[in-house]
Amino acid sequence: QVQLVESGGGSVQAGGSLRLSCVASEYVYCMAWFRQAPGKEREGVALINPYSTTTVADSVKGRFTISRDNTKNTLYLQMNSLGPDDTATYYCVAWLSRYGCDSYRGADFGYWGQGTQVTVSS
């Protein structure tokens, strides 16, 4: 069972930045960030394979950057130019190579962190 622990959430004003981190208990092939705001569906924000090939949602493209350090089993999400619509609980998710890393489908079979809250005020 892979354990994922997120950190870095908080409250910022619009236009500000935050950096989320997620430490995995062991190496996992595909890693991703999801978010869910109250009353909204869960949304895949970005994913990254072991070779640092990324997929980023259109809603955050140009503002958010996903990265990983395989030597530390750590996933990052640098979030810039935050707006109120980015307010949500952000989850770190990871899954095995058998589910691929070209879409978010693997998240249905993956490991999830406990989530970290990001609140952006206008």
Side-chain angles (χ1 to χ4, degrees):
Q1 183 79 5
V2 176
Q3 306 295 321
L4 302 171
V5 179
E6 303 108 330
S7 61
S11 297
V12 295
Q13 290 190 328
S17 298
L18 284 173
R19 188 192 196 204
L20 305 184
S21 299
C22 169
V23 180
S25 57
E26 60 187 81
Y27 170 82
V28 194
Y29 184 77
C30 191
M31 303 188 80
W33 291 100
F34 278 72
R35 68 183 180 184
Q36 187 164 25
K40 294 188 177 181
E41 291 189 358
R42 186 182 70 186
E43 175 188 19
V45 176
L47 62 83
I48 186 168
N49 72 12
Y51 317 107
S52 292
T53 300
T54 64
T55 299
V56 180
D58 288 342
S59 58
V60 304
K61 197 167 290 184
R63 300 187 298 121
F64 290 13
T65 302
I66 187 171
S67 62
R68 65 190 289 172
D69 185 337
N70 293 331
T71 65
K72 299 179 180 178
N73 294 332
T74 301
L75 177 72
Y76 304 99
L77 185 68
Q78 178 66 46
M79 305 185 294
N80 299 328
S81 301
L82 285 161
D85 287 349
D86 296 315
T87 295
T89 301
Y90 284 72
Y91 297 91
C92 175
V93 191
W95 59 88
L96 305 178
S97 60
R98 71 184 73 162
Y99 304 113
C101 202
D102 56 352
S103 76
Y104 297 102
R105 290 191 308 269
D108 291 341
F109 311 98
Y111 306 98
W112 288 70
Q114 81 285 356
T116 186
Q117 179 66 35
V118 172
T119 302
V120 185
S121 58
S122 58

